[in-house]
Amino acid sequence: MKKLIHLHKTLIRNKKSEIYIKDALQNAQKCKICQGLIHRNSISIDHIQRKEDGGLASVDNGQITHPYCNTGYKN
């Protein structure tokens, strides 16, 4: 009986981990350029429309990207 209770608790713990991982991946921040997942310590803020092309320094013209993705010229 003790083994059965331990097994049940382990299954519950595993299911909780699975649910957390599934939810975290679905709601994780993604780079708006490459669509890759972004780590919280590796974020760059990019203009959607470049300043040179008339883009404003506004919240609506900003996007979260990888620092690497934000270093090159985008058409």
Side-chain angles (χ1 to χ4, degrees), residues 14 16 22 26 30 37-38 52 61 67 72:
N14 288 343
K16 286 181 179 180
K22 180 181 137 234
Q26 288 175 348
K30 292 186 178 180
L37 295 175
I38 294 183
E52 293 86 357
N61 191 39

Side-chain angles (χ1 to χ4, degrees), residues 14-28:
N14 288 343
K15 285 294 176 189
K16 286 181 179 180
S17 294
E18 183 179 344
I19 290 166
Y20 172 80
I21 290 169
K22 180 181 137 234
D23 189 56
L25 287 175
Q26 288 175 348
N27 297 310

Side-chain angles (χ1 to χ4, degrees), residues 6-50:
H6 177 70
L7 178 62
H8 180 70
K9 287 182 179 180
T10 301
L11 287 174
I12 289 172
R13 187 170 40 248
N14 288 343
K15 285 294 176 189
K16 286 181 179 180
S17 294
E18 183 179 344
I19 290 166
Y20 172 80
I21 290 169
K22 180 181 137 234
D23 189 56
L25 287 175
Q26 288 175 348
N27 297 310
Q29 288 289 333
K30 292 186 178 180
C31 175
K32 300 299 190 276
I33 296 171
C34 75
Q35 302 305 315
L37 295 175
I38 294 183
H39 189 277
R40 64 183 175 162
N41 294 333
S42 183
I43 293 176
S44 181
I45 305 299
D46 183 28
H47 288 88
I48 296 170
Q49 182 179 14
R50 297 179 331 139

